[in-house]
């Protein structure tokens, strides 16, 4: 093992000892008495099976049969979740084949940042993660289940399902992906049309045609954003079947993997004799593995929020510093848009997860001796699935990349370090995704131009007021202010200005997510402006230095003068409408970005 990986793992274990032990005691106590439905009162049990067919009712009375909860984020508006429409029946049939039962336990909401981008609904996006966690808890609350299957794929859905599932950590649980849509037009073509539209050089009709050729069929979007980062991390954490992440929807192999996931989860139950609940899988080593994979692939910056929140749900205290220290020693092995021109289907074809995991294991960057849903040891995930005369089998994955423009071995990495940088200075602490930013653009020192709304920046661009070097300060975008929406509405305008030769950067207490692109952006800055963070006292013209090489975020203003300034006030009335007023209680409860921007942090303190 690489000494840095061991060092971070050991200190994470030490820091989390009290909370992790309390968590394990909690889930082991919950698991101690076998199938919970066997202890229900007769009327309770009758309610729980009333909607089942005769055979399922009979099987559920037999405690040696497994009852599997199905929790799904299906809806047919969002392409990534549309394939889940048919999964519950596929799962139930697979379970009946082995004398077990599947019950659709509950649905969770699934919203799309792509649809709500730049709209008021985006302010519900991050809070929706907490709603999904709560929905998952409600679905699993009936004490009827021996195991669970989680059907979710996109941005906040998988983290929310994880947080809810880990609070029922005594249940064996497998995450069942739906897969990416097949490739449409290239990401470069899409980005070019967006930028030309921002400059007024492409019509809205051209833009719409381009977007519909990009997002054109069932499945996740094909760029390497939060959705596909979720899938990659679930597999590296051993919560998918090996090789399941990036198989396209509505294919025989996809169906076979769903069928196998349903049957495999029953093999992890108490009745099977090989009991392996999710809470025993997700430990400190598995979380370190997830962060290593995040860095090695230049994954979504949203996971600097999600992974600490997921860790907290398992009684583990993961910090940005842990993530930064790993980034220094983890090489970048893949270039998938926005870090490169390829999409996730190209990554899969070049060698995919089996090649990536083999390389990281052989370099001593991943813990091999971990629990997974496929058995003990991460080496199992160097294999990939195939159909052999209709039967699902696994074979060793490729030992060489088929395209080193997309996926490389450690010996010829794109970069010697990972894709995320912790930014720190007198403006606070944040993160920057440097893997997508060219080296010559990673340092910007320029006057601040302060905004409190994305539309204000767009209007300033169109008025010709931004034809200069500057650092855009977009404040009052943090979790307590407005729920921390993504801020991609600004990206095309800033990209145009950078291409025109201006030095531009972004500093914000909001977020940019997995589509963070070529602009140096210090995001998730904490403390946020809403709670008195330094961003609330920045003025137009203040000199700011954003240094993505050293990881510094510095305001060059006299400290006494700066401290004497009156903090700005956030926008009034921007938390009403589109359902935003319903989430006021949650915004008040959110922790800082570094603690996962979670409403549950204080509740989980009871584990200490």
């Amino acid at each position: 093992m690489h000494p840095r990986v061991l060092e971070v793992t050991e200190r994470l274990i030490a820091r989390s000892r009290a909370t992790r032990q309390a968590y394990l005691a909690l889930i082991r106590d919950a698991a101690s008495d076998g199938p919970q439905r066997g202890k229900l009162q007769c009327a309770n049990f009758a309610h729980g099976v009333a909607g089942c067919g005769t055979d399922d009712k009979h099987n559920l009375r037999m405690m040696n049969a497994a009852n599997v909860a199905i929790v799904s984020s299906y809806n047919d508006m969002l392409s990534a979740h549309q394939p889940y429409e048919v999964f519950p029946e596929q799962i139930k049939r697979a379970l009946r084949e082995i004398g077990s039962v599947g019950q659709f336990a509950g649905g969770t909401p699934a919203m799309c940042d792509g649809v709500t981008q730049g709209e008021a609904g985006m302010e519900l996006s991050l809070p929706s993660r907490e709603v999904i966690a709560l929905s998952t808890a409600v679905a699993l609350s009936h004490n009827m289940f021996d195991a669970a299957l989680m059907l979710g794929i996109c941005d906040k859905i998988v983290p929310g399902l994880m947080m809810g599932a880990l609070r029922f950590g005594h249940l064996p649980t497998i995450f069942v992906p739906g897969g990416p849509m097949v490739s449409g037009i290239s990401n470069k073509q899409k980005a070019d049309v967006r930028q030309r539209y921002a400059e007024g050089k492409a019509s809205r009709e051209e833009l719409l045609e381009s977007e519909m050729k990009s997002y054109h069929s069932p499945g996740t979007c094909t760029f390497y954003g939060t959705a596909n980062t979720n899938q990659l991390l679930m597999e590296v954490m051993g919560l998918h079947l090996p090789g399941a992440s990036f198989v396209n929807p509505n294919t025989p192999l996809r169906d076979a993997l769903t069928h196998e996931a349903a049957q495999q989860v029953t093999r992890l139950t108490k009745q099977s004799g090989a009991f392996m609940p999710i809470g025993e899988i997700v430990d400190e080593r598995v979380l370190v593995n997830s962060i290593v994979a995040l860095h090695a692939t230049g994954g979504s910056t949203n996971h600097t929020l999600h992974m600490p929140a997921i860790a907290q749900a398992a009684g583990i205290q993961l910090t940005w510093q842990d993530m930064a220290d790993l980034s220094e020693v983890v090489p970048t092995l893949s270039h998938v848009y926005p870090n490169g021109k390829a999409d996730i289907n190209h990554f899969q074809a070049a060698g995919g997860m089996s090649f990536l995991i083999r390389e990281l294991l052989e370099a001593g960057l991943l813990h091999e001796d971990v629990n997974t849903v496929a058995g003990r040891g991460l080496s199992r995930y160097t294999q990939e699935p195939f159909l052999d005369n209709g039967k699902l089998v696994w074979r060793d994955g490729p030992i060489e990349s088929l395209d080193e423009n997309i996926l490389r071995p450690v010996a010829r990495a794109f970069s010697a370090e990972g894709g995320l940088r912790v930014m720190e200075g007198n403006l606070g602490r944040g993160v920057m995704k440097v893997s997508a930013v060219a080296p010559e653009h990673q340092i910007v020192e320029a006057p601040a131009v302060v905004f409190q709304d994305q539309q204000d920046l767009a209007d300033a661009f169109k008025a010709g007021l931004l034809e200069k070097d500057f650092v855009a300060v977009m404040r009052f975008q943090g979790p307590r202010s407005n729920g921390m929406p993504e801020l991609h509405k600004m990206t095309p305008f800033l990209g145009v200005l950078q291409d025109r030769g201006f030095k531009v950067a972004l500093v914000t207490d909001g977020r940019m997510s997995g589509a963070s692109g070529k602009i140096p952006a210090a995001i998730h800055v904490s403390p946020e402006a809403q709670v008195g963070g330094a961003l609330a006292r920045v003025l137009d013209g203040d000199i700011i230095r954003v240094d993505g090489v050293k990881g510094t975020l510095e305001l060059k203003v006299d400290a006494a003068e700066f401290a004497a300034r009156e903090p700005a006030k956030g926008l009034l009335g921007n938390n009403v409408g589109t359902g935003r007023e319903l989430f006021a209680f949650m915004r008040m409860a959110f922790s800082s970005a570094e603690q996962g921007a979670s409403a549950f942090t204080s509740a989980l303190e009871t584990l200490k």
Side-chain angles (χ1 to χ4, degrees), residues 343-393:
D343 70 23
I344 203 68
N345 292 311
H346 303 142
F347 168 86
Q348 173 80 348
M353 295 300 298
S354 60
F355 177 84
L356 176 74
I357 291 172
R358 175 179 282 107
E359 283 294 313
L360 293 172
L361 281 171
E362 290 181 355
L365 292 166
L366 291 176
H367 293 278
E368 199 283 330
D369 187 24
V370 293
N371 295 318
T372 80
V373 298
R376 184 76 181 179
L378 194 59
S379 295
R380 180 72 174 80
Y381 287 74
T382 63
Q383 296 184 313
E384 55 185 9
F386 293 91
L387 290 177
D388 185 355
N389 292 321
K391 182 181 178 182
L392 182 64
V393 297

Side-chain angles (χ1 to χ4, degrees), residues 110-368:
M111 65 176 292
C112 176
D113 293 359
V115 176
T116 57
Q117 200 66 249
E119 303 292 329
M122 172 56 79
E123 296 182 14
L124 305 187
S125 175
L126 185 59
S128 78
R129 183 191 67 185
E130 318 301 274
V131 175
I132 292 161
L134 294 171
S135 300
T136 304
V138 171
L140 298 177
S141 66
H142 297 96
N143 274 341
M144 284 285 295
F145 306 113
D146 307 297
L149 294 171
M150 298 288 150
L151 280 53
I153 202 160
C154 278
D155 295 16
K156 314 309 168 296
I157 293 91
V158 166
L161 289 169
M162 278 286 289
M163 292 160 67
L166 284 166
R167 303 315 303 161
F168 289 78
H170 62 287
L171 293 177
T173 302
I174 293 180
F175 279 68
V176 185
M181 69 177 66
V182 296
S183 300
I185 66 169
S186 74
N187 287 302
K188 183 180 186 305
Q189 287 175 279
K190 176 181 69 177
D192 287 347
V193 174
R194 286 180 177 180
Q195 195 149 310
R196 288 196 299 110
Y197 179 75
E199 295 179 272
K201 296 178 180 178
S203 69
R204 186 173 181 86
E205 288 74 18
E206 289 177 88
L207 178 65
L208 181 58
E209 182 180 5
S210 170
E211 296 295 331
M212 292 190 74
K213 287 180 178 177
S214 301
Y215 309 111
H216 64 97
S217 70
T220 60
C221 307
T222 57
F223 69 90
Y224 191 46
T226 308
N228 285 321
T229 305
N230 282 338
Q231 304 316 299
L232 184 140
L233 297 187
M234 289 297 99
E235 186 158 337
V236 170
M237 294 172 76
L239 296 173
H240 280 176
L241 293 182
S245 295
F246 301 122
V247 175
N248 301 122
N250 304 317
T251 61
L253 181 55
R254 175 86 278 155
D255 292 345
L257 286 163
T258 301
H259 182 280
E260 179 63 15
Q263 296 193 349
Q264 177 62 17
V265 80
T266 69
R267 301 177 189 123
L268 307 178
T269 61
K270 280 236 170 187
Q271 298 95 310
S272 74
F275 185 51
M276 183 49 60
I278 187 173
E280 302 279 0
I281 291 176
V282 181
D283 64 8
E284 295 88 347
R285 293 164 301 167
V286 163
L287 284 165
V288 167
N289 284 353
S290 75
I291 303 307
V292 168
L294 182 71
H295 291 320
T297 55
S300 169
T301 53
N302 270 329
H303 288 85
T304 62
L305 303 173
H306 297 324
M307 295 315 298
I310 289 168
Q312 281 274 356
I316 299 170
Q317 312 300 319
L318 180 70
T319 70
W320 281 354
Q321 195 59 54
D322 297 328
M323 300 173 84
D325 290 347
L326 289 169
S327 182
E328 291 178 356
V329 301
V330 176
T332 300
L333 302 186
S334 74
H335 269 183
V336 180
Y337 186 83
N339 308 325
K341 296 179 181 179
D343 70 23
I344 203 68
N345 292 311
H346 303 142
F347 168 86
Q348 173 80 348
M353 295 300 298
S354 60
F355 177 84
L356 176 74
I357 291 172
R358 175 179 282 107
E359 283 294 313
L360 293 172
L361 281 171
E362 290 181 355
L365 292 166
L366 291 176
H367 293 278
E368 199 283 330

Side-chain angles (χ1 to χ4, degrees), residues 19-34:
T19 49
R20 180 63 177 170
Q21 287 177 351
Y23 173 78
L24 289 174
L26 183 72
I27 66 168
R28 288 169 181 170
D29 181 63
S32 62
D33 297 326

